[in-house]
């Protein structure tokens, strides 16, 4: 049934790819992905992929440009090796925040990346929790946009916390719909942070929180945590307003610069992230607050259903 199903990976997140392959019951393709001394990337596929349905697991995370280039070269290599269909599994879609022209003379890089993937020869994209839903429309090929929310909901329900003790908090109005859906599924209340960005300053000043958080367990819910500045500031505000515990729940744990150290010294009690982006051991060792949940089973199920031309709507429940 799965003799023509192949899974391969570059250097972006090989541990996730191995876990996906394990859940799918399929060995990873033997692939060489490396750089020459002149910094050019090279790919060689050591397995026969002729007529196969191939899934490349490659988030375009740090180093973003290297991992993006590896993805494009792997697509090209597969097309030239006569693969029947090339599917790109991109759990974290880099450049996703450059999704609109909000200033004069700036690019829409999320669209450019979509064009590059399409022109390279990809037949389908499977991704997880895009920064903006409209990025799906940047592609001229099918996009399966999965959500990690069921994984987080299953985890928090397993903790046995009474739902009337919990409030889901969106860091800003832009993520309100995402947080509202989470609160609805968890059957708890919702609050929304009101923040203002100072001109020429990437830091956000939290002005207020709309909603009742006193004596509640506040769960900050966002699609990603990068430097962590916004979440740390709103966590402080939530404690000021009487929240008894503050958790942060973010799909993509970018954790750039000093984010891990800042998290460890912050008022956030726990940070829950997925393994869409690799978490190096040196970062993991710097904080006891990080809990990483796996998306491998979700992606493995999606891969098998797509290969069999089955509906994936079950995965959204």
């Amino acid at each position: 049934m799965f003799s023509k199903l192949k899974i391969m990976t570059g250097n972006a997140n090989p541990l996730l790819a191995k876990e996906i392959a394990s859940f799918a019951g399929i060995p990873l393709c033997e692939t060489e992905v490396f750089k020459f001394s002149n910094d050019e990337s090279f790919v060689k596929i050591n397995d026969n992929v002729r007529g196969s349905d191939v899934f490349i697991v490659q988030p375009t995370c740090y180093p973003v440009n290297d991992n993006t280039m590896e993805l494009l070269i792997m697509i090209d290599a597969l097309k030239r090796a006569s693969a029947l269909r090339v599917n790109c599994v991109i759990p974290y879609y880099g450049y996703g925040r450059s999704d609109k022209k909000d200033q004069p003379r700036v690019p829409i890089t999320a669209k450019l990346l979509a064009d590059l993937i399409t022109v390279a020869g990809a037949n389908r994209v499977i991704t997880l929790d895009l920064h903006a839903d409209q990025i799906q429309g940047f592609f001229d090929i099918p996009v399966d946009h999965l959500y990690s929310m069921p994984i987080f909901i299953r985890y928090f329900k397993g903790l046995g916390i009474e739902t009337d003790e919990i409030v889901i908090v969106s860091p800003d109005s832009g993520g309100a719909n995402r947080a509202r859906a989470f609160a609805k599924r968890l059957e708890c209340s919702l609050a929304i942070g009101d923040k203002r960005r100072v001109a020429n300053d990437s830091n956000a000043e939290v002005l207020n929180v709309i909603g009742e958080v006193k004596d509640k367990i506040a769960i900050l819910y966002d699609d990603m945590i990068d430097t962590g500045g916004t979440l740390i500031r709103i966590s402080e505000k939530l404690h000021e307003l009487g929240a008894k515990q503050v958790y942060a729940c973010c799909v993509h744990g970018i954790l750039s610069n000093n984010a891990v150290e800042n998290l460890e010294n912050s008022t956030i009690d726990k940070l829950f992230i997925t393994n869409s982006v690799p978490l190096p051991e040196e970062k993991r060792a710097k904080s006891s607050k990080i809990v990483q949940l796996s998306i491998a089973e979700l992606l493995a199920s999606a891969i098998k259903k797509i290969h069999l031309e089955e509906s994936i709507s079950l995965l959204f429940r």
Side-chain angles (χ1 to χ4, degrees):
M1 184 183 296
F2 298 110
S3 61
K4 286 296 183 179
L5 173 58
K6 305 281 186 181
I7 300 174
M8 62 180 286
T9 184
N11 294 317
N13 199 344
L15 291 178
L16 174 61
K18 288 176 184 175
E19 197 177 346
I20 291 170
S22 177
F23 274 112
I26 297 161
L28 277 177
C29 276
E30 290 188 19
T31 312
E32 298 175 48
V33 184
F34 62 89
K35 278 189 172 186
F36 290 115
S37 57
N38 64 356
D39 204 44
E40 292 178 357
S41 296
F42 179 79
V43 170
K44 183 181 179 183
I45 302 162
N46 293 324
D47 282 356
N48 178 20
V49 295
R50 184 178 295 273
S52 295
D53 193 12
V54 185
F55 290 78
I56 307 169
V57 180
Q58 182 81 348
T60 50
C61 53
Y62 178 87
V64 177
N65 295 340
D66 285 349
N67 288 330
T68 299
M69 200 64 207
E70 282 184 10
L71 174 61
L72 297 175
I73 295 171
M74 283 189 284
I75 295 170
D76 186 73
L78 288 168
K79 298 299 287 187
R80 296 178 189 279
S82 301
L84 178 65
R85 188 167 64 168
V86 179
N87 309 274
C88 299
V89 182
I90 310 175
Y92 170 70
Y93 187 79
Y95 291 108
R97 284 177 282 187
S98 298
D99 64 324
K100 56 187 175 294
K101 195 171 185 290
D102 53 1
Q103 301 175 55
R105 298 174 296 281
V106 297
I108 304 178
T109 321
K111 166 62 174 165
L112 172 62
L113 181 54
D115 289 342
L116 289 170
I117 291 169
T118 304
V119 171
N123 299 106
R124 177 182 293 270
V125 167
I126 300 97
T127 189
L128 183 78
D129 287 282
L130 289 168
H131 182 67
D133 287 344
Q134 67 263 25
I135 293 173
Q136 298 172 77
F138 292 173
F139 288 89
D140 294 324
I141 55 177
V143 176
D144 290 304
H145 185 201
L146 303 176
Y147 296 92
S148 60
M149 190 182 296
I151 296 170
F152 287 118
I153 289 169
R154 186 164 62 241
Y155 181 86
F156 283 111
K157 282 188 173 180
L159 295 178
I161 306 171
E162 294 295 328
T163 55
D164 58 1
E165 291 185 76
I166 299 174
V167 57
I168 304 299
V169 183
S170 172
D172 52 42
S173 58
N177 287 339
R178 186 186 301 115
R180 186 177 291 108
F182 195 10
K184 182 179 179 181
R185 297 279 293 276
L186 207 53
E187 299 178 330
C188 62
S189 57
L190 172 71
I192 299 172
D194 174 29
K195 70 179 184 181
R196 180 183 301 161
R197 289 197 181 276
V198 180
N200 301 319
D201 187 353
S202 61
N203 294 323
E205 179 187 359
V206 176
L207 301 176
N208 199 6
V209 174
I210 303 166
E212 183 57 51
V213 299
K214 185 175 174 59
D215 297 324
K216 298 267 191 178
I217 297 172
I219 302 176
L220 285 160
Y221 186 58
D222 211 352
D223 65 317
M224 71 176 73
I225 177 170
D226 191 351
T227 61
T230 297
L231 293 181
I232 289 170
R233 283 181 179 81
I234 200 168
S235 170
E236 293 167 355
K237 187 67 177 179
L238 289 168
H239 277 289
E240 285 177 22
L241 294 172
K244 59 183 180 181
Q245 283 182 303
V246 177
Y247 298 147
C249 186
C250 303
V251 182
H252 309 295
I254 310 302
L255 298 171
S256 58
N257 298 332
N258 297 321
V260 176
E261 293 90 334
N262 295 337
L263 169 71
E264 185 65 18
N265 298 322
S266 74
T267 57
I268 295 174
D269 295 285
K270 287 286 183 184
L271 169 65
F272 299 91
I273 57 174
T274 74
N275 57 346
S276 64
V277 173
L279 181 65
E281 281 302 321
E282 58 268 23
K283 286 188 177 182
R284 193 189 299 271
K286 289 179 181 177
S287 178
S288 59
K289 295 183 177 182
I290 301 174
V291 177
Q292 198 172 35
L293 307 180
S294 178
I295 57 172
E297 186 175 5
L298 171 68
L299 292 176
S301 297
I303 286 170
K304 291 168 77 173
K305 285 180 177 295
I306 291 166
H307 175 67
L308 296 173
E309 304 290 350
E310 294 179 353
S311 170
I312 63 168
S313 58
L314 183 67
L315 303 178
F316 295 93
R317 298 177 187 173

